[in-house]
Coordinates of all heavy atoms in Angstrom, one line a residue:
F311 N 41.4 82.2 67.9 CA 42.2 82.3 69.1 C 42.8 83.7 69.3 O 43.5 83.9 70.3 CB 43.4 81.3 69.0 CG 42.9 79.8 69.0 CD1 43.6 78.9 68.3 CD2 41.9 79.4 69.8 CE1 43.2 77.6 68.3 CE2 41.5 78.1 69.9 CZ 42.1 77.2 69.1
L312 N 42.6 84.6 68.3 CA 43.3 85.9 68.3 C 43.0 86.7 69.6 O 43.8 87.4 70.1 CB 42.9 86.7 67.1 CG 43.6 86.2 65.8 CD1 43.0 86.9 64.6 CD2 45.1 86.4 65.8
W313 N 41.7 86.6 70.1 CA 41.4 87.5 71.2 C 42.2 87.1 72.5 O 42.7 87.9 73.2 CB 39.8 87.4 71.5 CG 39.3 86.1 72.0 CD1 38.9 85.1 71.2 CD2 39.2 85.7 73.3 NE1 38.5 84.0 72.0 CE2 38.7 84.4 73.3 CE3 39.5 86.3 74.6 CZ2 38.4 83.7 74.5 CZ3 39.3 85.6 75.7 CH2 38.8 84.3 75.7
S314 N 42.3 85.7 72.7 CA 43.0 85.3 73.9 C 44.5 85.5 73.7 O 45.3 85.7 74.6 CB 42.7 83.8 74.2 OG 43.0 83.0 73.2
Y315 N 45.0 85.4 72.4 CA 46.4 85.6 72.1 C 46.8 87.0 72.4 O 47.8 87.3 72.9 CB 46.6 85.3 70.6 CG 48.0 85.4 70.1 CD1 49.1 84.7 70.6 CD2 48.3 86.3 69.1 CE1 50.4 84.8 70.2 CE2 49.6 86.5 68.6 CZ 50.6 85.7 69.2 OH 51.9 85.9 68.7
E316 N 45.8 88.0 72.1 CA 46.1 89.4 72.3 C 46.1 89.7 73.9 O 46.9 90.5 74.3 CB 45.1 90.3 71.6 CG 45.4 91.8 71.7 CD 46.7 92.1 71.1 OE1 47.3 91.4 70.3 OE2 47.2 93.3 71.4
V317 N 45.3 89.0 74.6 CA 45.3 89.1 76.1 C 46.7 88.6 76.6 O 47.3 89.3 77.5 CB 44.2 88.3 76.7 CG1 44.4 88.2 78.3 CG2 42.9 88.9 76.4
L318 N 47.2 87.6 76.0 CA 48.5 87.0 76.4 C 49.7 88.0 76.2 O 50.5 88.2 77.0 CB 48.8 85.7 75.6 CG 50.2 85.1 75.7 CD1 50.5 84.6 77.1 CD2 50.4 84.1 74.6
R319 N 49.7 88.7 75.0 CA 50.8 89.5 74.7 C 50.5 91.0 74.9 O 51.3 91.9 74.6 CB 51.2 89.4 73.2 CG 50.2 89.8 72.3 CD 50.7 89.7 70.8 NE 49.8 90.5 70.0 CZ 50.0 90.6 68.7 NH1 51.0 90.1 68.1 NH2 49.1 91.3 67.9
G320 N 49.3 91.3 75.5 CA 48.9 92.7 75.8 C 49.8 93.4 76.8 O 49.8 94.6 76.8
F321 N 50.4 92.7 77.7 CA 51.2 93.3 78.7 C 52.7 93.4 78.2 O 53.4 92.4 78.1 CB 51.2 92.5 80.0 CG 49.8 92.5 80.6 CD1 48.9 91.5 80.1 CD2 49.3 93.4 81.5 CE1 47.6 91.5 80.6 CE2 48.0 93.4 82.0 CZ 47.2 92.4 81.5
F322 N 53.1 94.7 77.9 CA 54.4 94.9 77.3 C 55.5 95.4 78.2 O 56.5 95.8 77.7 CB 54.2 95.8 76.0 CG 53.6 97.1 76.4 CD1 54.5 98.2 76.8 CD2 52.3 97.3 76.4 CE1 53.9 99.4 77.1 CE2 51.7 98.6 76.7 CZ 52.6 99.6 77.1
F323 N 55.2 95.5 79.5 CA 56.2 96.0 80.4 C 56.2 95.3 81.7 O 55.2 94.6 82.0 CB 56.0 97.5 80.7 CG 54.6 97.9 81.1 CD1 54.3 97.8 82.5 CD2 53.6 98.2 80.2 CE1 53.0 98.1 82.9 CE2 52.3 98.5 80.7 CZ 52.0 98.4 82.0
N324 N 57.3 95.3 82.4 CA 57.4 94.6 83.6 C 56.8 95.4 84.8 O 56.8 96.6 84.8 CB 58.9 94.3 84.0 CG 59.6 93.5 82.8 OD1 58.9 92.7 82.2 ND2 60.9 93.6 82.7
V325 N 56.3 94.7 85.8 CA 55.8 95.3 87.0 C 56.4 94.7 88.2 O 56.1 93.6 88.6 CB 54.2 95.2 87.0 CG1 53.7 95.8 88.3 CG2 53.6 95.8 85.8
G326 N 57.3 95.4 88.8 CA 58.0 94.9 90.0 C 58.7 93.6 89.6 O 59.4 93.5 88.6
P327 N 58.5 92.5 90.4 CA 59.2 91.2 90.1 C 58.5 90.5 88.9 O 59.1 89.5 88.5 CB 59.0 90.5 91.4 CG 57.7 91.0 92.0 CD 57.7 92.5 91.6
L328 N 57.3 90.9 88.5 CA 56.7 90.2 87.4 C 57.1 90.7 86.1 O 57.0 91.9 85.8 CB 55.1 90.3 87.6 CG 54.4 89.5 88.7 CD1 53.0 89.9 88.7 CD2 54.6 88.0 88.4

Side-chain angles (χ1 to χ4, degrees):
F311 294 143
L312 286 171
W313 68 270
S314 58
Y315 180 63
E316 187 60 17
V317 171
L318 170 70
R319 66 176 195 176
F321 297 86
F322 58 88
F323 53 88
N324 301 332
V325 177
L328 285 176

